[in-house]
């Protein structure tokens, strides 16, 4: 399901899987983030999150703090911060990101394969067209100045 969140998506650090920068979410900045929401159980969410944290799956995360305070820092590494930016139809939206903000580390441009994956996923949501997604991704910190909207559109369409 398509969703727009308050904040900014930016690219930083280096992905060993994709090459280039990883996508992170900073809910503390003005702006909007295009995203997709999936209705999953606590167990499913925990499984995905702990794998991204390089932890062993199998134990559900305690979501009490993130659901009550909007944020829960489980560690200092990438994707070890849980964020709840709101709710959809009464169901909390919970995601994971880094503990640092958009301006707290050096940005790093994402790889073509990662841009294609992100863009294709947003396109599958059915709300935004290729050009809107391409403009959005090309303007994100880390991608801006490294990717043009036309290059991103070609990746998504190709």
């Amino acid at each position: 399901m398509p969703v727009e969140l308050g904040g900014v998506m930016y690219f930083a650090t280096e992905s060993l899987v994709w090459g280039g920068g990883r996508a992170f979410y900073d809910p503390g900045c003005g702006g909007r983030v295009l995203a997709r929401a999936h209705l999953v159980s606590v167990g499913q969410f925990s499984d995905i999150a702990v794998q991204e944290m390089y932890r062993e799956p199998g134990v559900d995360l305690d979501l009490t703090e993130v659901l009550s305070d909007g944020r829960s820092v489980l560690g200092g590494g990438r994707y070890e911060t849980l964020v709840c930016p709101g709710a959809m139809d009464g169901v909390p939206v919970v995601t994971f990101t880094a503990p640092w903000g958009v301006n707290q580390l050096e940005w790093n441009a994402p790889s073509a394969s990662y841009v294609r994956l992100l863009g294709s996923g947003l396109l599958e949501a059915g709300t935004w067209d290729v050009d809107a997604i391409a403009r959005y991704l090309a303007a994100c910190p880390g991608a801006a100045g490294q990717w043009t909207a036309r290059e991103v559109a070609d990746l998504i369409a190709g």
Side-chain angles (χ1 to χ4, degrees), residues 33-94:
V33 175
L34 305 184
R36 287 180 66 181
H38 299 273
L39 184 59
V40 297
S41 69
V42 171
Q44 291 169 317
F45 175 79
S46 296
D47 227 30
I48 295 164
V50 300
Q51 288 180 59
E52 289 295 330
M53 294 174 195
Y54 294 138
R55 297 180 184 190
E56 200 60 37
V59 177
D60 286 355
L61 295 172
D62 181 355
L63 303 181
T64 306
E65 183 179 15
V66 70
L67 294 176
S68 64
D69 299 344
R71 185 178 183 92
S72 178
V73 179
L74 305 178
R78 59 155 189 86
Y79 300 133
E80 292 188 330
T81 297
L82 305 180
V83 177
C84 180
M88 294 177 66
D89 298 325
V91 177
V93 174
V94 180

